[in-house]
Amino acid sequence: MKKELIVAIDGPSSAGKSTVGKLLAKRLGYIYIDTGAMYRAMGWKAVRDGINLEDGRAIARFCDETMVDLSLNAGGKSHVLVDGIDVTEAIRTPEMSMMASAISAKQPVRERLVELQRSLGEKGGVVLEGRDVGTVIFPNAGAKFYLDADVRERGRRRWEEMRSKGETVDLEETIEAIRRRDHNDMNRDHSPLKKADDAVLIDSTGLSVDEVIEKMAMVVRERHGDPACR
Ligand code: DC
């Protein structure tokens, strides 16, 4: 039997990686892995415990003492656990977005999570999304995408998502927060966000979710010939 692929989706915040990643995984019968959720979980615990991100020793100890897990519940929804605590909902706030971005710049945190991400995905049959999937975690992934969109459109999508959850947010502030996070993620020393040379660039500005998935499925089909993608 043909080995199932590793599909990598990288790109900046709110480009639609989770939405299309989940749907593409479903279509292929693959597992979906949200690597950003793991940085968020580490960030959540660091806030709870008042960890000083500038204290290298404290960060190293923190990494040694922290267990991050992804689990699927009976309905197939994935949950993120840190030291056994389910933080799936708690990590989805603007503060946790910024904290995840800050803690993800720390090399011991990256080493810890990259090891975990490799162990979860190495057998294939997975769609992973994040910032360094195609460049660092799985440079040999069978299909790589860099999903981008205009920053204002990304901001508007995030703003609408938050409003639909009943949160009162300002559009311009949301766009500005995304700009700041892009800047952090693209300019850090370790594994900055960038397009892998062999990643297929998809600009989703003005495209529907279905159109993006269609493009991705076409590439996966070319690489794999998997009838599930047809
Ligand atoms: O995808 P997300 O917005 O949930 O990710 C939160 C932060 O985690 C993001 O701003 C940068 C970091 N991250 C990372 O450095 N590497 C990854 N593979 C995924 C996320």
Side-chain angles (χ1 to χ4, degrees), residues 129-179:
E129 62 106 335
R131 304 293 188 291
D132 61 340
V133 182
T135 50
V136 176
I137 309 173
F138 289 116
N140 297 323
K144 294 185 190 177
F145 301 97
Y146 189 89
L147 186 61
D148 206 347
D150 172 74
V151 69
R152 292 199 66 83
E153 171 142 347
R154 289 189 281 126
R156 194 186 42 74
R157 288 179 192 164
R158 173 57 59 99
W159 177 73
E160 277 171 2
E161 185 189 320
M162 289 165 77
R163 283 199 342 154
S164 71
K165 289 191 204 160
E167 288 163 35
T168 328
V169 279
D170 181 77
L171 175 61
E172 292 307 320
E173 272 174 27
T174 309
I175 294 170
E176 195 40 47
I178 286 183
R179 277 211 176 93

Side-chain angles (χ1 to χ4, degrees), residues 25-216:
K26 199 167 167 197
R27 181 161 166 172
L28 299 171
Y30 282 13
I31 290 167
Y32 163 75
I33 298 176
D34 175 357
T35 62
M38 300 178 185
Y39 290 96
R40 287 173 181 266
M42 294 284 263
W44 179 88
K45 184 179 168 189
V47 170
R48 187 196 68 182
D49 293 359
I51 303 295
N52 174 4
L53 296 191
E54 299 319 312
D55 181 344
R57 276 200 183 159
I59 298 255
R61 201 174 333 112
F62 172 75
C63 288
D64 286 344
E65 292 169 352
T66 303
M67 276 293 298
V68 172
D69 272 315
L70 291 187
S71 74
L72 286 181
N73 73 1
K77 185 176 185 304
S78 82
H79 283 246
V80 192
L81 308 177
V82 60
D83 301 337
I85 304 168
D86 189 333
V87 293
T88 312
E89 300 301 330
I91 58 174
R92 299 289 159 197
T93 65
E95 294 71 32
M96 285 301 137
S97 299
M98 289 314 288
M99 186 60 192
S101 181
I103 205 166
S104 73
K106 305 295 169 191
Q107 183 60 0
V109 174
R110 300 207 71 81
E111 274 171 20
R112 184 70 205 278
L113 291 184
V114 166
E115 189 189 327
L116 174 63
Q117 290 151 2
R118 284 187 180 140
S119 72
L120 290 173
E122 67 194 355
K123 291 202 175 73
V126 283
V127 174
L128 295 108
E129 62 106 335
R131 304 293 188 291
D132 61 340
V133 182
T135 50
V136 176
I137 309 173
F138 289 116
N140 297 323
K144 294 185 190 177
F145 301 97
Y146 189 89
L147 186 61
D148 206 347
D150 172 74
V151 69
R152 292 199 66 83
E153 171 142 347
R154 289 189 281 126
R156 194 186 42 74
R157 288 179 192 164
R158 173 57 59 99
W159 177 73
E160 277 171 2
E161 185 189 320
M162 289 165 77
R163 283 199 342 154
S164 71
K165 289 191 204 160
E167 288 163 35
T168 328
V169 279
D170 181 77
L171 175 61
E172 292 307 320
E173 272 174 27
T174 309
I175 294 170
E176 195 40 47
I178 286 183
R179 277 211 176 93
R180 275 207 305 278
R181 204 139 67 90
D182 285 353
H183 180 83
N184 289 350
D185 297 344
M186 289 172 174
N187 293 288
R188 64 186 180 216
D189 292 339
H190 310 291
S191 316
L193 167 65
K194 61 174 184 229
K195 180 186 162 304
D197 292 338
D198 52 352
V200 175
L201 172 67
I202 299 180
D203 185 337
S204 72
T205 314
L207 294 184
S208 69
V209 170
D210 282 349
E211 286 168 323
V212 173
I213 292 176
E214 213 37 65
K215 281 177 187 280
M216 289 182 167

